[in-house]
Amino acid sequence: MAVIPISIHKKAFLGKDFVDFQDAKISVMSHGFMYGTAVFEGIRAYWNPEKQKLYALHVREHLERLLKSCKILRLKPYYNVDQMTEKVVQLLKLNQPKCDAYIRPSWFKSCLRIGPCVIGSADEEDCFTITSIDLGDYLNTSKGISVQVSSWRRLSDNAIPARGKINGSYVNTALSKANAVLAGYDDSIFLTEEGHVAEGSAMNLFIIRDGKLITSGVTENILEGITRKFIIEIARAELGLETEVRAIDRSELYIADEAFFCGTGAQIVPIGSIDNYELSNTRPGNITIKLQKIYNDICRAKIDKYNHVLTEINY
Ligand code: PMP
């Protein structure tokens, strides 16, 4: 698997200030670092070369979810969605990327203290940070990737809730993806403890059977993906396709006509095979290709009626 080269932008946000990226430092004893008590979001911004403009996708939805993740972890954010939006936009204006970018806002427990629970301690403190980088595709979006059903199970809601985007829970992702990559696959799919399909390592999953889109429900220990919800909407509006939201069995993966991952970072990633079962005759499948084209055009502000999902950044 190729290592993704990243180009980090020169400015970041930490605490209450914009700072040079090299000064955006936290202590090795920060609670968030030691115990994973932090939450984050990944937001994409798309560069439109014809218009010479950057468009950030679903900013408000991401920042609303970030506050929900804070609530689950009992973090106490000192900015609301409007204030965080302003910081994200300001950061991009400072960094002025001329290609696609990826923005990481995060709240974390910043006190230097031993003990995983710091509720009520005098120095309990939460901190906000945003970093941004240049980022093109990080999974292959054209060929139909190979995927392994992971032997690691998805974290359950009663262990670490997957609907919160909680830093510590990405150990689950790291274990699963590492196994898949070491076995020669591109990525992995998690099952729940009950054996139903949950989601990809850090993406939601759709399968297509007999012309019908199917995706796991939000009680299957998935992150309630913003892209997942949007794909359900555009499939209905643009292709007249309804999505069945229901429990998916493992064996349905093997006989699916098509399947794809989706997520803000991943975008729409066609899946070619799962556990070496080939999926579609035409790799990637027809419905996946159509959805991918619509999605990509929306992201680059090429379909006016969807411009409300974009935040135009002018610099
Ligand atoms: N599941 C997990 C575990 C993820 O990390 C992501 C990426 N944020 C997704 C699904 C996709 O979510 P979204 O479409 O909101 O980016």
PDB file of all heavy atoms in Angstrom, residues 189-227:
ATOM      1  N   ILE A 189     -13.434  -4.423   5.992  1.00  0.00           N
ATOM      2  CA  ILE A 189     -14.825  -4.200   6.410  1.00  0.00           C
ATOM      3  C   ILE A 189     -14.991  -4.812   7.792  1.00  0.00           C
ATOM      4  O   ILE A 189     -14.565  -5.950   8.031  1.00  0.00           O
ATOM      5  CB  ILE A 189     -15.815  -4.884   5.432  1.00  0.00           C
ATOM      6  CG1 ILE A 189     -15.786  -4.193   4.071  1.00  0.00           C
ATOM      7  CG2 ILE A 189     -17.246  -4.895   6.001  1.00  0.00           C
ATOM      8  CD1 ILE A 189     -16.623  -4.880   2.997  1.00  0.00           C
ATOM      9  N   PHE A 190     -15.612  -4.040   8.687  1.00  0.00           N
ATOM     10  CA  PHE A 190     -15.896  -4.546  10.036  1.00  0.00           C
ATOM     11  C   PHE A 190     -17.259  -5.229  10.099  1.00  0.00           C
ATOM     12  O   PHE A 190     -18.239  -4.710   9.549  1.00  0.00           O
ATOM     13  CB  PHE A 190     -16.006  -3.379  11.020  1.00  0.00           C
ATOM     14  CG  PHE A 190     -14.716  -2.839  11.549  1.00  0.00           C
ATOM     15  CD1 PHE A 190     -14.379  -1.511  11.327  1.00  0.00           C
ATOM     16  CD2 PHE A 190     -13.875  -3.625  12.322  1.00  0.00           C
ATOM     17  CE1 PHE A 190     -13.215  -0.975  11.851  1.00  0.00           C
ATOM     18  CE2 PHE A 190     -12.703  -3.092  12.857  1.00  0.00           C
ATOM     19  CZ  PHE A 190     -12.379  -1.769  12.618  1.00  0.00           C
ATOM     20  N   LEU A 191     -17.329  -6.329  10.832  1.00  0.00           N
ATOM     21  CA  LEU A 191     -18.622  -6.880  11.245  1.00  0.00           C
ATOM     22  C   LEU A 191     -18.850  -6.452  12.692  1.00  0.00           C
ATOM     23  O   LEU A 191     -17.905  -6.159  13.432  1.00  0.00           O
ATOM     24  CB  LEU A 191     -18.624  -8.409  11.171  1.00  0.00           C
ATOM     25  CG  LEU A 191     -18.270  -9.053   9.833  1.00  0.00           C
ATOM     26  CD1 LEU A 191     -18.335 -10.585   9.949  1.00  0.00           C
ATOM     27  CD2 LEU A 191     -19.210  -8.587   8.716  1.00  0.00           C
ATOM     28  N   THR A 192     -20.125  -6.452  13.091  1.00  0.00           N
ATOM     29  CA  THR A 192     -20.437  -6.199  14.498  1.00  0.00           C
ATOM     30  C   THR A 192     -20.224  -7.493  15.286  1.00  0.00           C
ATOM     31  O   THR A 192     -20.050  -8.562  14.690  1.00  0.00           O
ATOM     32  CB  THR A 192     -21.909  -5.778  14.657  1.00  0.00           C
ATOM     33  OG1 THR A 192     -22.727  -6.869  14.215  1.00  0.00           O
ATOM     34  CG2 THR A 192     -22.228  -4.534  13.826  1.00  0.00           C
ATOM     35  N   GLU A 193     -20.279  -7.405  16.610  1.00  0.00           N
ATOM     36  CA  GLU A 193     -20.153  -8.624  17.431  1.00  0.00           C
ATOM     37  C   GLU A 193     -21.245  -9.633  17.068  1.00  0.00           C
ATOM     38  O   GLU A 193     -21.071 -10.833  17.207  1.00  0.00           O
ATOM     39  CB  GLU A 193     -20.240  -8.280  18.930  1.00  0.00           C
ATOM     40  CG  GLU A 193     -19.008  -7.568  19.488  1.00  0.00           C
ATOM     41  CD  GLU A 193     -17.759  -8.449  19.560  1.00  0.00           C
ATOM     42  OE1 GLU A 193     -17.834  -9.655  19.264  1.00  0.00           O
ATOM     43  OE2 GLU A 193     -16.683  -7.907  19.885  1.00  0.00           O
ATOM     44  N   GLU A 194     -22.395  -9.136  16.589  1.00  0.00           N
ATOM     45  CA  GLU A 194     -23.509 -10.025  16.209  1.00  0.00           C
ATOM     46  C   GLU A 194     -23.303 -10.624  14.822  1.00  0.00           C
ATOM     47  O   GLU A 194     -24.086 -11.473  14.382  1.00  0.00           O
ATOM     48  CB  GLU A 194     -24.843  -9.261  16.219  1.00  0.00           C
ATOM     49  CG  GLU A 194     -25.336  -8.789  17.584  1.00  0.00           C
ATOM     50  CD  GLU A 194     -24.498  -7.643  18.150  1.00  0.00           C
ATOM     51  OE1 GLU A 194     -24.070  -6.775  17.350  1.00  0.00           O
ATOM     52  OE2 GLU A 194     -24.240  -7.632  19.364  1.00  0.00           O
ATOM     53  N   GLY A 195     -22.279 -10.154  14.097  1.00  0.00           N
ATOM     54  CA  GLY A 195     -21.975 -10.741  12.793  1.00  0.00           C
ATOM     55  C   GLY A 195     -22.571 -10.001  11.614  1.00  0.00           C
ATOM     56  O   GLY A 195     -22.457 -10.440  10.474  1.00  0.00           O
ATOM     57  N   HIS A 196     -23.230  -8.860  11.875  1.00  0.00           N
ATOM     58  CA  HIS A 196     -23.724  -8.063  10.742  1.00  0.00           C
ATOM     59  C   HIS A 196     -22.627  -7.148  10.213  1.00  0.00           C
ATOM     60  O   HIS A 196     -21.682  -6.803  10.936  1.00  0.00           O
ATOM     61  CB  HIS A 196     -24.911  -7.194  11.174  1.00  0.00           C
ATOM     62  CG  HIS A 196     -26.136  -7.974  11.474  1.00  0.00           C
ATOM     63  ND1 HIS A 196     -26.994  -7.654  12.496  1.00  0.00           N
ATOM     64  CD2 HIS A 196     -26.644  -9.076  10.882  1.00  0.00           C
ATOM     65  CE1 HIS A 196     -27.971  -8.532  12.522  1.00  0.00           C
ATOM     66  NE2 HIS A 196     -27.791  -9.403  11.563  1.00  0.00           N
ATOM     67  N   VAL A 197     -22.816  -6.721   8.965  1.00  0.00           N
ATOM     68  CA  VAL A 197     -21.853  -5.793   8.381  1.00  0.00           C
ATOM     69  C   VAL A 197     -22.027  -4.425   9.049  1.00  0.00           C
ATOM     70  O   VAL A 197     -23.148  -3.918   9.147  1.00  0.00           O
ATOM     71  CB  VAL A 197     -22.096  -5.667   6.860  1.00  0.00           C
ATOM     72  CG1 VAL A 197     -21.215  -4.587   6.260  1.00  0.00           C
ATOM     73  CG2 VAL A 197     -21.870  -7.021   6.179  1.00  0.00           C
ATOM     74  N   ALA A 198     -20.907  -3.860   9.523  1.00  0.00           N
ATOM     75  CA  ALA A 198     -20.973  -2.518  10.113  1.00  0.00           C
ATOM     76  C   ALA A 198     -20.555  -1.494   9.050  1.00  0.00           C
ATOM     77  O   ALA A 198     -21.403  -0.877   8.403  1.00  0.00           O
ATOM     78  CB  ALA A 198     -20.095  -2.418  11.349  1.00  0.00           C
ATOM     79  N   GLU A 199     -19.263  -1.371   8.828  1.00  0.00           N
ATOM     80  CA  GLU A 199     -18.760  -0.354   7.886  1.00  0.00           C
ATOM     81  C   GLU A 199     -17.321  -0.693   7.518  1.00  0.00           C
ATOM     82  O   GLU A 199     -16.770  -1.699   7.967  1.00  0.00           O
ATOM     83  CB  GLU A 199     -18.857   1.040   8.507  1.00  0.00           C
ATOM     84  CG  GLU A 199     -18.083   1.201   9.801  1.00  0.00           C
ATOM     85  CD  GLU A 199     -18.184   2.601  10.398  1.00  0.00           C
ATOM     86  OE1 GLU A 199     -18.463   3.568   9.661  1.00  0.00           O
ATOM     87  OE2 GLU A 199     -17.958   2.725  11.615  1.00  0.00           O
ATOM     88  N   GLY A 200     -16.717   0.170   6.713  1.00  0.00           N
ATOM     89  CA  GLY A 200     -15.314  -0.007   6.367  1.00  0.00           C
ATOM     90  C   GLY A 200     -14.433   0.452   7.516  1.00  0.00           C
ATOM     91  O   GLY A 200     -14.931   0.877   8.564  1.00  0.00           O
ATOM     92  N   SER A 201     -13.112   0.389   7.326  1.00  0.00           N
ATOM     93  CA  SER A 201     -12.194   0.739   8.407  1.00  0.00           C
ATOM     94  C   SER A 201     -12.404   2.187   8.854  1.00  0.00           C
ATOM     95  O   SER A 201     -12.377   2.481  10.034  1.00  0.00           O
ATOM     96  CB  SER A 201     -10.749   0.516   7.966  1.00  0.00           C
ATOM     97  OG  SER A 201     -10.423   1.400   6.914  1.00  0.00           O
ATOM     98  N   ALA A 202     -12.656   3.089   7.895  1.00  0.00           N
ATOM     99  CA  ALA A 202     -12.958   4.487   8.241  1.00  0.00           C
ATOM    100  C   ALA A 202     -13.859   5.082   7.162  1.00  0.00           C
ATOM    101  O   ALA A 202     -13.719   6.234   6.776  1.00  0.00           O
ATOM    102  CB  ALA A 202     -11.675   5.295   8.386  1.00  0.00           C
ATOM    103  N   MET A 203     -14.790   4.246   6.697  1.00  0.00           N
ATOM    104  CA  MET A 203     -15.718   4.668   5.658  1.00  0.00           C
ATOM    105  C   MET A 203     -17.030   3.919   5.883  1.00  0.00           C
ATOM    106  O   MET A 203     -17.011   2.815   6.434  1.00  0.00           O
ATOM    107  CB  MET A 203     -15.228   4.241   4.249  1.00  0.00           C
ATOM    108  CG  MET A 203     -13.897   4.731   3.812  1.00  0.00           C
ATOM    109  SD  MET A 203     -12.507   3.841   4.540  1.00  0.00           S
ATOM    110  CE  MET A 203     -12.557   2.241   3.797  1.00  0.00           C
ATOM    111  N   ASN A 204     -18.119   4.493   5.425  1.00  0.00           N
ATOM    112  CA  ASN A 204     -19.375   3.729   5.403  1.00  0.00           C
ATOM    113  C   ASN A 204     -19.422   2.886   4.137  1.00  0.00           C
ATOM    114  O   ASN A 204     -18.609   3.060   3.231  1.00  0.00           O
ATOM    115  CB  ASN A 204     -20.587   4.673   5.467  1.00  0.00           C
ATOM    116  CG  ASN A 204     -20.716   5.346   6.825  1.00  0.00           C
ATOM    117  OD1 ASN A 204     -20.749   6.561   6.916  1.00  0.00           O
ATOM    118  ND2 ASN A 204     -20.791   4.561   7.881  1.00  0.00           N
ATOM    119  N   LEU A 205     -20.360   1.948   4.100  1.00  0.00           N
ATOM    120  CA  LEU A 205     -20.401   0.972   3.009  1.00  0.00           C
ATOM    121  C   LEU A 205     -21.807   0.877   2.409  1.00  0.00           C
ATOM    122  O   LEU A 205     -22.798   0.871   3.152  1.00  0.00           O
ATOM    123  CB  LEU A 205     -20.001  -0.403   3.575  1.00  0.00           C
ATOM    124  CG  LEU A 205     -20.105  -1.594   2.640  1.00  0.00           C
ATOM    125  CD1 LEU A 205     -19.022  -1.549   1.567  1.00  0.00           C
ATOM    126  CD2 LEU A 205     -19.980  -2.903   3.419  1.00  0.00           C
ATOM    127  N   PHE A 206     -21.862   0.829   1.094  1.00  0.00           N
ATOM    128  CA  PHE A 206     -23.112   0.517   0.383  1.00  0.00           C
ATOM    129  C   PHE A 206     -22.869  -0.730  -0.447  1.00  0.00           C
ATOM    130  O   PHE A 206     -21.782  -0.892  -1.023  1.00  0.00           O
ATOM    131  CB  PHE A 206     -23.488   1.644  -0.586  1.00  0.00           C
ATOM    132  CG  PHE A 206     -24.108   2.853   0.065  1.00  0.00           C
ATOM    133  CD1 PHE A 206     -23.313   3.778   0.724  1.00  0.00           C
ATOM    134  CD2 PHE A 206     -25.476   3.087  -0.002  1.00  0.00           C
ATOM    135  CE1 PHE A 206     -23.873   4.916   1.322  1.00  0.00           C
ATOM    136  CE2 PHE A 206     -26.045   4.218   0.592  1.00  0.00           C
ATOM    137  CZ  PHE A 206     -25.248   5.124   1.258  1.00  0.00           C
ATOM    138  N   ILE A 207     -23.899  -1.597  -0.530  1.00  0.00           N
ATOM    139  CA  ILE A 207     -23.842  -2.651  -1.535  1.00  0.00           C
ATOM    140  C   ILE A 207     -25.031  -2.461  -2.473  1.00  0.00           C
ATOM    141  O   ILE A 207     -26.000  -1.782  -2.114  1.00  0.00           O
ATOM    142  CB  ILE A 207     -23.857  -4.089  -0.922  1.00  0.00           C
ATOM    143  CG1 ILE A 207     -25.143  -4.353  -0.131  1.00  0.00           C
ATOM    144  CG2 ILE A 207     -22.631  -4.322  -0.071  1.00  0.00           C
ATOM    145  CD1 ILE A 207     -25.311  -5.843   0.253  1.00  0.00           C
ATOM    146  N   ILE A 208     -24.931  -3.044  -3.655  1.00  0.00           N
ATOM    147  CA  ILE A 208     -26.029  -2.957  -4.622  1.00  0.00           C
ATOM    148  C   ILE A 208     -26.414  -4.372  -5.016  1.00  0.00           C
ATOM    149  O   ILE A 208     -25.551  -5.169  -5.428  1.00  0.00           O
ATOM    150  CB  ILE A 208     -25.597  -2.121  -5.853  1.00  0.00           C
ATOM    151  CG1 ILE A 208     -25.308  -0.682  -5.395  1.00  0.00           C
ATOM    152  CG2 ILE A 208     -26.700  -2.126  -6.913  1.00  0.00           C
ATOM    153  CD1 ILE A 208     -24.437   0.111  -6.314  1.00  0.00           C
ATOM    154  N   ARG A 209     -27.690  -4.695  -4.797  1.00  0.00           N
ATOM    155  CA  ARG A 209     -28.201  -6.010  -5.192  1.00  0.00           C
ATOM    156  C   ARG A 209     -29.460  -5.797  -6.015  1.00  0.00           C
ATOM    157  O   ARG A 209     -30.373  -5.104  -5.586  1.00  0.00           O
ATOM    158  CB  ARG A 209     -28.547  -6.855  -3.953  1.00  0.00           C
ATOM    159  CG  ARG A 209     -27.344  -7.224  -3.112  1.00  0.00           C
ATOM    160  CD  ARG A 209     -27.722  -8.232  -2.039  1.00  0.00           C
ATOM    161  NE  ARG A 209     -28.248  -9.454  -2.614  1.00  0.00           N
ATOM    162  CZ  ARG A 209     -28.877 -10.402  -1.922  1.00  0.00           C
ATOM    163  NH1 ARG A 209     -29.059 -10.251  -0.625  1.00  0.00           N
ATOM    164  NH2 ARG A 209     -29.326 -11.484  -2.524  1.00  0.00           N
ATOM    165  N   ASP A 210     -29.498  -6.378  -7.190  1.00  0.00           N
ATOM    166  CA  ASP A 210     -30.668  -6.256  -8.074  1.00  0.00           C
ATOM    167  C   ASP A 210     -31.092  -4.802  -8.243  1.00  0.00           C
ATOM    168  O   ASP A 210     -32.272  -4.466  -8.107  1.00  0.00           O
ATOM    169  CB  ASP A 210     -31.838  -7.094  -7.525  1.00  0.00           C
ATOM    170  CG  ASP A 210     -31.438  -8.554  -7.346  1.00  0.00           C
ATOM    171  OD1 ASP A 210     -30.666  -9.052  -8.199  1.00  0.00           O
ATOM    172  OD2 ASP A 210     -31.851  -9.170  -6.354  1.00  0.00           O
ATOM    173  N   GLY A 211     -30.144  -3.957  -8.487  1.00  0.00           N
ATOM    174  CA  GLY A 211     -30.441  -2.546  -8.769  1.00  0.00           C
ATOM    175  C   GLY A 211     -30.820  -1.738  -7.549  1.00  0.00           C
ATOM    176  O   GLY A 211     -31.208  -0.571  -7.660  1.00  0.00           O
ATOM    177  N   LYS A 212     -30.715  -2.328  -6.365  1.00  0.00           N
ATOM    178  CA  LYS A 212     -31.124  -1.624  -5.144  1.00  0.00           C
ATOM    179  C   LYS A 212     -29.918  -1.313  -4.251  1.00  0.00           C
ATOM    180  O   LYS A 212     -29.075  -2.187  -4.018  1.00  0.00           O
ATOM    181  CB  LYS A 212     -32.087  -2.542  -4.394  1.00  0.00           C
ATOM    182  CG  LYS A 212     -33.101  -1.771  -3.573  1.00  0.00           C
ATOM    183  CD  LYS A 212     -34.130  -2.687  -2.960  1.00  0.00           C
ATOM    184  CE  LYS A 212     -35.430  -2.658  -3.740  1.00  0.00           C
ATOM    185  NZ  LYS A 212     -36.404  -3.623  -3.248  1.00  0.00           N
ATOM    186  N   LEU A 213     -29.894  -0.073  -3.777  1.00  0.00           N
ATOM    187  CA  LEU A 213     -28.821   0.300  -2.839  1.00  0.00           C
ATOM    188  C   LEU A 213     -29.185  -0.164  -1.434  1.00  0.00           C
ATOM    189  O   LEU A 213     -30.326   0.008  -1.001  1.00  0.00           O
ATOM    190  CB  LEU A 213     -28.694   1.824  -2.789  1.00  0.00           C
ATOM    191  CG  LEU A 213     -27.934   2.513  -3.913  1.00  0.00           C
ATOM    192  CD1 LEU A 213     -28.201   4.012  -3.872  1.00  0.00           C
ATOM    193  CD2 LEU A 213     -26.444   2.252  -3.765  1.00  0.00           C
ATOM    194  N   ILE A 214     -28.207  -0.691  -0.744  1.00  0.00           N
ATOM    195  CA  ILE A 214     -28.444  -1.165   0.632  1.00  0.00           C
ATOM    196  C   ILE A 214     -27.286  -0.670   1.507  1.00  0.00           C
ATOM    197  O   ILE A 214     -26.114  -0.761   1.117  1.00  0.00           O
ATOM    198  CB  ILE A 214     -28.484  -2.711   0.693  1.00  0.00           C
ATOM    199  CG1 ILE A 214     -29.473  -3.269  -0.339  1.00  0.00           C
ATOM    200  CG2 ILE A 214     -28.862  -3.188   2.103  1.00  0.00           C
ATOM    201  CD1 ILE A 214     -29.386  -4.783  -0.548  1.00  0.00           C
ATOM    202  N   THR A 215     -27.616  -0.141   2.664  1.00  0.00           N
ATOM    203  CA  THR A 215     -26.570   0.251   3.613  1.00  0.00           C
ATOM    204  C   THR A 215     -27.001  -0.104   5.033  1.00  0.00           C
ATOM    205  O   THR A 215     -28.204  -0.162   5.329  1.00  0.00           O
ATOM    206  CB  THR A 215     -26.217   1.761   3.474  1.00  0.00           C
ATOM    207  OG1 THR A 215     -24.991   2.020   4.160  1.00  0.00           O
ATOM    208  CG2 THR A 215     -27.295   2.677   4.037  1.00  0.00           C
ATOM    209  N   SER A 216     -26.029  -0.344   5.901  1.00  0.00           N
ATOM    210  CA  SER A 216     -26.329  -0.729   7.285  1.00  0.00           C
ATOM    211  C   SER A 216     -26.988   0.420   8.040  1.00  0.00           C
ATOM    212  O   SER A 216     -26.685   1.586   7.780  1.00  0.00           O
ATOM    213  CB  SER A 216     -25.035  -1.086   8.023  1.00  0.00           C
ATOM    214  OG  SER A 216     -24.291  -1.988   7.276  1.00  0.00           O
ATOM    215  N   GLY A 217     -27.822   0.084   8.993  1.00  0.00           N
ATOM    216  CA  GLY A 217     -28.498   1.094   9.808  1.00  0.00           C
ATOM    217  C   GLY A 217     -27.576   1.694  10.856  1.00  0.00           C
ATOM    218  O   GLY A 217     -26.499   1.153  11.144  1.00  0.00           O
ATOM    219  N   VAL A 218     -28.022   2.794  11.444  1.00  0.00           N
ATOM    220  CA  VAL A 218     -27.160   3.518  12.391  1.00  0.00           C
ATOM    221  C   VAL A 218     -27.015   2.809  13.741  1.00  0.00           C
ATOM    222  O   VAL A 218     -26.217   3.238  14.576  1.00  0.00           O
ATOM    223  CB  VAL A 218     -27.637   4.974  12.626  1.00  0.00           C
ATOM    224  CG1 VAL A 218     -27.531   5.781  11.354  1.00  0.00           C
ATOM    225  CG2 VAL A 218     -29.054   5.014  13.189  1.00  0.00           C
ATOM    226  N   THR A 219     -27.770   1.723  13.945  1.00  0.00           N
ATOM    227  CA  THR A 219     -27.589   0.974  15.198  1.00  0.00           C
ATOM    228  C   THR A 219     -26.653  -0.230  15.004  1.00  0.00           C
ATOM    229  O   THR A 219     -26.574  -1.112  15.851  1.00  0.00           O
ATOM    230  CB  THR A 219     -28.946   0.510  15.769  1.00  0.00           C
ATOM    231  OG1 THR A 219     -29.664  -0.154  14.738  1.00  0.00           O
ATOM    232  CG2 THR A 219     -29.754   1.692  16.268  1.00  0.00           C
ATOM    233  N   GLU A 220     -25.925  -0.246  13.869  1.00  0.00           N
ATOM    234  CA  GLU A 220     -24.960  -1.334  13.607  1.00  0.00           C
ATOM    235  C   GLU A 220     -23.531  -0.894  13.932  1.00  0.00           C
ATOM    236  O   GLU A 220     -22.576  -1.323  13.282  1.00  0.00           O
ATOM    237  CB  GLU A 220     -25.044  -1.784  12.143  1.00  0.00           C
ATOM    238  CG  GLU A 220     -26.387  -2.351  11.727  1.00  0.00           C
ATOM    239  CD  GLU A 220     -26.675  -3.736  12.298  1.00  0.00           C
ATOM    240  OE1 GLU A 220     -25.798  -4.342  12.944  1.00  0.00           O
ATOM    241  OE2 GLU A 220     -27.812  -4.200  12.095  1.00  0.00           O
ATOM    242  N   ASN A 221     -23.391   0.009  14.902  1.00  0.00           N
ATOM    243  CA  ASN A 221     -22.065   0.483  15.332  1.00  0.00           C
ATOM    244  C   ASN A 221     -21.265   1.142  14.210  1.00  0.00           C
ATOM    245  O   ASN A 221     -20.073   0.858  14.020  1.00  0.00           O
ATOM    246  CB  ASN A 221     -21.257  -0.665  15.958  1.00  0.00           C
ATOM    247  CG  ASN A 221     -21.938  -1.192  17.203  1.00  0.00           C
ATOM    248  OD1 ASN A 221     -22.523  -0.422  17.966  1.00  0.00           O
ATOM    249  ND2 ASN A 221     -21.896  -2.483  17.399  1.00  0.00           N
ATOM    250  N   ILE A 222     -21.955   2.011  13.486  1.00  0.00           N
ATOM    251  CA  ILE A 222     -21.269   2.774  12.432  1.00  0.00           C
ATOM    252  C   ILE A 222     -21.151   4.229  12.864  1.00  0.00           C
ATOM    253  O   ILE A 222     -21.895   4.690  13.736  1.00  0.00           O
ATOM    254  CB  ILE A 222     -22.028   2.720  11.076  1.00  0.00           C
ATOM    255  CG1 ILE A 222     -23.416   3.404  11.167  1.00  0.00           C
ATOM    256  CG2 ILE A 222     -22.159   1.288  10.600  1.00  0.00           C
ATOM    257  CD1 ILE A 222     -24.078   3.631   9.823  1.00  0.00           C
ATOM    258  N   LEU A 223     -20.225   4.934  12.228  1.00  0.00           N
ATOM    259  CA  LEU A 223     -20.257   6.387  12.345  1.00  0.00           C
ATOM    260  C   LEU A 223     -21.410   6.846  11.451  1.00  0.00           C
ATOM    261  O   LEU A 223     -21.543   6.372  10.317  1.00  0.00           O
ATOM    262  CB  LEU A 223     -18.940   7.016  11.863  1.00  0.00           C
ATOM    263  CG  LEU A 223     -18.913   8.548  11.929  1.00  0.00           C
ATOM    264  CD1 LEU A 223     -18.829   9.042  13.377  1.00  0.00           C
ATOM    265  CD2 LEU A 223     -17.732   9.115  11.142  1.00  0.00           C
ATOM    266  N   GLU A 224     -22.247   7.743  11.978  1.00  0.00           N
ATOM    267  CA  GLU A 224     -23.377   8.230  11.176  1.00  0.00           C
ATOM    268  C   GLU A 224     -22.827   9.184  10.127  1.00  0.00           C
ATOM    269  O   GLU A 224     -22.754  10.390  10.329  1.00  0.00           O
ATOM    270  CB  GLU A 224     -24.409   8.898  12.074  1.00  0.00           C
ATOM    271  CG  GLU A 224     -25.028   7.921  13.059  1.00  0.00           C
ATOM    272  CD  GLU A 224     -26.033   8.569  14.004  1.00  0.00           C
ATOM    273  OE1 GLU A 224     -26.304   9.780  13.870  1.00  0.00           O
ATOM    274  OE2 GLU A 224     -26.544   7.859  14.873  1.00  0.00           O
ATOM    275  N   GLY A 225     -22.411   8.611   9.017  1.00  0.00           N
ATOM    276  CA  GLY A 225     -21.631   9.351   8.022  1.00  0.00           C
ATOM    277  C   GLY A 225     -22.437  10.429   7.319  1.00  0.00           C
ATOM    278  O   GLY A 225     -23.599  10.239   6.949  1.00  0.00           O
ATOM    279  N   ILE A 226     -21.777  11.555   7.107  1.00  0.00           N
ATOM    280  CA  ILE A 226     -22.385  12.682   6.393  1.00  0.00           C
ATOM    281  C   ILE A 226     -22.481  12.341   4.900  1.00  0.00           C
ATOM    282  O   ILE A 226     -23.466  12.641   4.241  1.00  0.00           O
ATOM    283  CB  ILE A 226     -21.551  13.950   6.670  1.00  0.00           C
ATOM    284  CG1 ILE A 226     -21.724  14.319   8.158  1.00  0.00           C
ATOM    285  CG2 ILE A 226     -21.950  15.112   5.762  1.00  0.00           C
ATOM    286  CD1 ILE A 226     -20.671  15.233   8.713  1.00  0.00           C
ATOM    287  N   THR A 227     -21.462  11.675   4.385  1.00  0.00           N
ATOM    288  CA  THR A 227     -21.472  11.273   2.974  1.00  0.00           C
ATOM    289  C   THR A 227     -22.543  10.202   2.740  1.00  0.00           C
ATOM    290  O   THR A 227     -23.264  10.241   1.740  1.00  0.00           O
ATOM    291  CB  THR A 227     -20.084  10.717   2.561  1.00  0.00           C
ATOM    292  OG1 THR A 227     -19.074  11.527   3.158  1.00  0.00           O
ATOM    293  CG2 THR A 227     -19.904  10.708   1.066  1.00  0.00           C
TER     294      THR A 227
END
